[in-house]
Amino acid sequence: MDKLPMKTFMKDEFALLLGILTLVFFKTGGDSLLADGTALSTYIPVSLALLGVVTWAIFSVVRHSDALAIKLGDPYGTLILTLSVISLEVVMISSVMLTGEPNPVMARDTMFAVVMLIINGLVGFTLLLGGWRYHTQLFNLDGVKSYLVVIIPLALLCLVLPNFTEGGTIGSMSKAMSWMLIIISILLYGVFLVVQTKSHSHFFVDADHEDHEEHHGILRSNAYHTVLLIGYLLVVILLAKTLAMPINYSVATLGAPQALGGFIVACLILSPEAVGGFKAALNNQLQRAMNLYFGSVLATIALTVPAVLIIGSVINQEVHLGLSPADMVLLITSLMVCKVSFSSGRTNALHGATHIVLFIIYLFLMFEHA
């Protein structure tokens, strides 16, 4: 870590101190201010203040990940952000499985929400913004193909195949099949990481190999930015669970489906990558945005599936991974559109608009199933 004067550190990283103080406040009784029945004159300002702290922490995550991307270069910079966010997401799901009420479909619904949010929502808006500004954007075709060649089989094997295996309840699997998915998910992701960071790292930089970064701030040591990146991520994740209280209250008041609350929290958790991806696309660095997005989808499936299946086996809790018929159609359609959108090494606004349409269908189905 860099040895900085405390005054300078406090000035640069005041958002972290504010986030920690906010976290301590809410975890030591402040949650009562967000309980049902609290007067709106208190409820609304507290909720807005909490949202402001979380948003500031999110932008600080992006600031430190940008610094690491400059110092380490892609794919290492984006890989650090991706693994940090997804690892904390896996920890959250695992903790709920170990302490909460049994919910066989929780992991499945969370994974599906992340996949749809990224490959249709974030990818769609990113391609639309980049295409609107630059008309046509280039990316490294070999890199995106490397993501998709792993994402497509893992997504179908983990979220579709369980509906057609002899595992008892529809959507569940036998122990042998579960352990097979655990092993192939870990092995495939391990091979991918070797390809991404060692043998074919050039696949994951811009096609023109000119990956210039814009970073507003002083670059410090790798350890400094890594520790603070993790610190801000922890603040965002832990406060996101508190922020779920006013979100769920609003959802219930409006009569919206319960799944919407979890989806909004997932949006907050993935917002560091969304901000980083939008910024990269507007700077005509589409490859960096795709590294963030597809890396998150791949890590979500490859890390979450082994974790939940192992925990389910240990605590003897059933896990359903198979999607509903409508969701299976939407997943397969989304993967097919991804394959077409990223088949030529260049994209435009039309590709983005198509992904956004699929994202709208996903949101519609969320309310349709309510």
Side-chain angles (χ1 to χ4, degrees):
M1 290 281 290
D2 292 357
K3 293 182 179 180
L4 299 178
M6 183 56 66
K7 184 177 180 180
T8 302
F9 179 81
M10 293 298 295
K11 179 182 177 181
D12 293 345
E13 310 301 338
F14 181 72
L16 181 59
L17 175 63
L18 183 61
I20 293 172
L21 292 176
T22 303
L23 185 59
V24 171
F25 171 76
F26 281 107
K27 297 305 180 184
T28 56
D31 284 352
S32 61
L33 296 176
L34 297 176
D36 294 352
T38 304
L40 289 180
S41 58
T42 300
Y43 199 94
I44 292 176
V46 172
S47 299
L48 291 176
L50 176 59
L51 179 61
V53 172
V54 171
T55 302
W56 194 358
I58 286 168
F59 278 93
S60 297
V61 168
V62 176
R63 173 164 55 87
H64 287 290
S65 66
D66 281 349
L68 285 172
I70 294 172
K71 293 176 68 65
L72 300 176
D74 272 337
Y76 297 100
T78 52
L79 181 61
I80 288 173
L81 177 58
T82 296
L83 290 179
S84 299
V85 171
I86 300 304
S87 296
L88 290 172
E89 175 192 328
V90 171
V91 169
M92 287 182 64
I93 295 175
S94 301
S95 64
V96 172
M97 287 186 66
L98 291 169
T99 60
E101 293 294 325
N103 185 351
V105 300
M106 178 197 60
R108 178 201 70 184
D109 291 345
T110 302
M111 283 190 290
F112 186 59
V114 170
V115 171
M116 289 296 102
L117 176 60
I118 294 176
I119 69 175
N120 286 329
L122 298 186
V123 168
F125 282 107
T126 297
L127 296 184
L128 186 63
L129 288 173
W132 193 269
R133 182 166 185 174
Y134 298 103
H135 302 296
T136 298
Q137 288 189 296
L138 303 178
F139 62 90
N140 194 321
L141 182 59
D142 289 324
V144 174
K145 285 172 62 178
S146 298
Y147 285 114
L148 292 179
V149 77
V150 185
I151 289 173
I152 292 174
L154 277 185
L156 297 180
L157 289 174
C158 295
L159 297 176
V160 175
L161 183 63
N163 285 332
F164 304 96
T165 60
E166 298 180 359
T169 308
I170 294 178
S172 64
M173 298 172 293
S174 65
K175 286 189 176 182
M177 188 65 191
S178 296
W179 280 103
M180 178 171 287
L181 280 185
I182 291 170
I183 293 170
I184 64 172
S185 296
I186 294 173
L187 286 180
L188 263 181
Y189 192 59
V191 173
F192 174 82
L193 288 179
V194 171
V195 170
Q196 185 184 27
T197 59
K198 300 293 183 183
S199 61
H200 296 77
S201 59
H202 57 283
F203 282 3
F204 303 91
V205 296
D206 280 341
D208 58 7
H209 302 290
E210 295 180 2
D211 194 13
H212 300 299
E213 296 281 354
E214 290 186 6
H215 176 74
H216 303 286
I218 300 173
L219 292 178
R220 306 193 187 279
S221 69
N222 292 341
Y224 177 90
H225 291 296
T226 300
V227 170
L228 287 173
L229 171 65
I230 294 172
Y232 281 114
L233 279 170
L234 286 170
V235 167
V236 171
I237 296 298
L238 295 175
L239 286 180
K241 298 178 71 174
T242 301
L243 192 59
M245 296 175 65
I247 291 173
N248 290 335
Y249 175 78
S250 301
V251 168
T253 301
L254 295 173
Q258 290 299 315
L260 182 61
F263 171 76
I264 294 173
V265 174
C267 290
L268 287 171
I269 293 173
L270 290 171
S271 54
E273 291 170 323
V275 173
F278 291 158
K279 178 181 176 182
L282 292 175
N283 288 334
N284 206 20
Q285 300 166 345
L286 187 61
Q287 182 62 44
R288 182 164 192 265
M290 295 306 105
N291 286 346
L292 285 170
Y293 295 156
F294 288 122
S296 294
V297 172
L298 177 54
T300 293
I301 300 173
L303 298 180
T304 303
V305 167
V308 299
L309 289 179
I310 290 174
I311 291 173
S313 177
V314 171
I315 66 176
N316 198 29
Q317 179 176 317
E318 193 172 28
V319 177
H320 292 185
L321 293 180
L323 296 169
S324 68
D327 288 341
M328 284 191 292
V329 171
L330 183 57
L331 174 64
I332 294 171
T333 303
S334 300
L335 294 174
M336 290 173 60
V337 172
C338 269
K339 186 71 175 73
V340 174
S341 295
F342 297 98
S343 62
S344 65
R346 59 184 65 225
T347 63
N348 55 56
L350 177 60
H351 296 124
T354 305
H355 285 273
I356 292 173
V357 166
L358 291 174
F359 183 62
I360 294 172
I361 295 298
Y362 163 70
L363 295 177
F364 175 81
L365 287 176
M366 183 190 300
F367 286 86
E368 183 81 357
H369 292 166

